[in-house]
Amino acid sequence: MRFTQTIAASWIAGVLCATGCATLTPTKPSASPLSSYAPQSRAMDEPEISVPETGASADGIVVNKPGTSEQGSNTRPSTKLSSERVVRGQSPRNWFAPINEPTAGSSEHMRRPMQISGEPITRGQSPGYGYPSPTNYQPQGGYYDSPVAQMVQNPLPEPPPAFPGVLPPGNGEPLIQPQIPLPPAVDFDVYVEETRTGRFMFGMGVNSDLGVTGQITIDERNFDWRRPPTSFQDVVNGTAWRGGGQGFRLEAQPGTQVQRYLVSFTQPYLYLGSIPTPFSLNLSGFFYNRNYFDWDEERLGGRAALGYRLTHDLSLSAALRAENVGISGIRVPIPELTEVAGDNSLFSGKTTLTHDTRDTPFAATEGHLIELSYEQAFGSFDYPRGEIDYRQYFLARERPDGSGRHTLAYSFRFGFSGPDTPIYENFFAGGFSTMRGFNFRGASPKNTGVVVGGEFQFLGSVEYMFPLTADDMLKGVVFCDYGTTEESIEIDPNNYRVAPGMGLRISIPAMGPAPLALDLAVPIARAPGDQIQNFSFFFGFGR
């Protein structure tokens, strides 16, 4: 039994020795067609590598050729070993020579000498080392299918910048780039509650144009007309008529001279099936009553408007209006009033183009508003009407924190109407909202002492507002209002009005967003018969 194991072990050792020797001892190549490409010079001094057919190592170990044995060898071992040191990983200088029958696990690959230290290597290229590139060189079969050849033909993309201190200095690039560490992640839960979208407001105001008025308003910005209450609990918890993103407003404004009642519904985005469109819809109904000095006017009607937003600042709208206008309490029966006494039907279609870049619609400090509109009215009277409203705001200066803004504002309004326009649709000027320094409608054309207005208007204003206190609660303003209103489409220099002045704006947060306004204006140019009112004011309170 022991004899059999000895024979088997000897046979296995002989086979391994023969295989290893075949790998380490290359056959003597024949004349290669690439011999003409022997290097003329070398980029570095390469050591001479002497591999004998049968030789001994430095430890006296004999290396035989495959197929020979130590006892039957007729070869004579080399008596002289190369004194030059072989660097591990280098190959003989003639690395273009083909390798004959590499065995499995063989290290005889298409290797090249290591590059000179400090010589840059471009990714996907090979170092020259002073060797001329053979034009008729053909690699051995299967080379182009190897991963190395595929990497050379398809270079890797440039890696991202490495972190300082991670890569060693030099021209080499690691095969595996360092990964960018992700920020620490923490799981957390978010609990949200719907914000308050409805408001109930009440207030009062005193105005030099409108007298004393009260105000009661219900405003809901998340209204849903398709969600009526199904129980009393829906009303208590606030889920009734809510959740559709629509707008609903109910307003009552009783007063000594003016009364107005309004209900409106707004759909900010009309839907085509389940797809939202850039169109908006507004429906409103109103009742309006005003006691003027020369007559009483009452209006009952409704309005439907369809809007389309062209850009973020540019919008287009089309509106239809239907009203019944009642004129009563005529003080002086002039022709302009007698022809409209009683009920009058008014229907109109209006198109408006608006470009608005103001930072805020209320108390703007920069940006502009340009509004162009054209309206065609028919019913008891047929007439066209066109208007231009332009307002420009310039921010002159402000504090570093954005407060203390100085604002220069310029505005003008231009309008014309057809010759068949009734008196209740004419243009009027004078008062706090149109031209300060004059009584309400006191800068308008008259007929026998009755203010009849005109078919043309041009009104302008220049105003500079600046803070007087650090908290911006008190502001000063200087202004100059100018313009005219004419019975026909013309500008008569004798009727041109100019009224410079100054005023105060007092902001009291507890009284609402509208400041208390006090203005003093002195007309320096006016038309005969104008009614002067140097002091005008507006006071409002709302919660």
Side-chain angles (χ1 to χ4, degrees), residues 203-530:
M204 63 165 293
V206 181
N207 193 314
S208 57
D209 293 348
L210 305 178
V212 180
T213 59
Q215 184 178 23
I216 301 174
T217 304
I218 298 175
D219 186 23
E220 175 59 56
R221 294 179 289 115
N222 192 24
F223 185 73
D224 191 352
W225 66 273
R226 298 173 298 181
R227 195 173 183 179
T230 57
S231 64
F232 181 73
Q233 188 65 24
D234 292 344
V235 179
V236 174
N237 58 26
T239 58
W241 305 108
R242 297 182 67 192
Q246 302 154 1
F248 177 80
R249 185 179 181 92
L250 183 63
E251 181 179 344
Q253 183 179 337
T256 58
Q257 299 182 23
V258 178
Q259 297 185 56
R260 187 181 68 171
Y261 302 90
L262 171 72
V263 57
S264 67
F265 169 81
T266 302
Q267 175 63 267
Y269 297 98
L270 290 178
Y271 283 81
L272 185 62
S274 59
I275 303 175
T277 66
F279 291 93
S280 62
L281 176 67
N282 178 266
L283 302 174
S284 63
F286 57 87
F287 173 78
Y288 174 84
N289 180 271
R290 174 68 195 250
N291 298 325
Y292 295 108
F293 179 75
D294 296 312
W295 72 89
D296 297 334
E297 182 176 314
E298 183 180 281
R299 298 184 182 226
L300 176 65
R303 180 177 178 270
L306 187 67
Y308 179 75
R309 185 170 293 276
L310 301 173
T311 64
H312 178 71
D313 302 324
L314 185 64
S315 61
L316 179 68
S317 66
L320 295 176
R321 179 176 58 143
E323 296 181 12
N324 180 76
V325 183
I327 302 298
S328 61
I330 297 176
R331 187 177 63 88
V332 179
I334 59 175
E336 291 87 344
L337 286 174
T338 56
E339 67 178 358
V340 299
D343 294 334
N344 302 269
S345 60
L346 174 61
F347 306 95
S348 69
K350 184 177 182 179
T351 302
T352 305
L353 181 65
T354 304
H355 191 256
D356 190 356
T357 63
R358 295 174 295 176
D359 54 350
T360 174
F362 182 77
T365 59
E366 54 186 336
H368 68 258
L369 170 67
I370 303 176
E371 187 173 278
L372 310 176
S373 64
Y374 177 80
E375 182 178 15
Q376 177 62 49
F378 53 93
S380 299
F381 300 89
D382 299 339
Y383 58 93
R385 188 184 188 93
E387 293 182 75
I388 299 176
D389 188 359
Y390 173 68
R391 306 175 192 178
Q392 179 70 57
Y393 302 89
F394 301 96
L395 179 61
R397 56 177 299 184
E398 64 179 351
R399 301 190 186 104
D401 60 353
S403 63
R405 292 193 163 194
H406 293 236
T407 306
L408 175 64
Y410 170 77
S411 66
F412 77 85
R413 283 176 284 182
F414 170 83
F416 69 91
S417 187
D420 196 26
T421 304
I423 187 174
Y424 53 79
E425 287 290 292
N426 277 341
F427 295 105
F428 298 89
F432 177 79
S433 58
T434 54
M435 184 175 294
R436 288 162 287 191
F438 297 88
N439 195 9
F440 177 69
R441 291 190 170 183
S444 305
K446 298 177 177 62
N447 182 8
T448 319
V450 178
V451 179
V452 296
E455 300 172 357
F456 174 80
Q457 79 166 3
F458 174 78
L459 302 176
S461 178
V462 178
E463 182 176 288
Y464 185 79
M465 183 178 296
F466 52 93
L468 296 176
T469 59
D471 55 4
D472 291 345
M473 293 185 63
L474 181 62
K475 296 183 178 181
V477 58
V478 292
F479 60 87
C480 181
D481 295 343
Y482 57 91
T484 184
T485 301
E486 303 289 349
E487 293 187 71
S488 57
I489 302 177
E490 63 176 354
I491 297 180
D492 187 351
N494 297 324
N495 297 330
Y496 203 82
R497 288 94 171 174
V498 179
M502 64 181 63
L504 293 175
R505 301 292 182 268
I506 305 173
S507 299
I508 304 176
M511 299 180 62
L516 172 64
L518 305 172
D519 289 332
L520 178 65
V522 179
I524 58 176
R526 59 179 181 172
D530 286 348

Side-chain angles (χ1 to χ4, degrees), residues 50 80 86 176 228 416:
S50 176
K80 181 180 179 181
V86 178
I176 300 178
F416 69 91

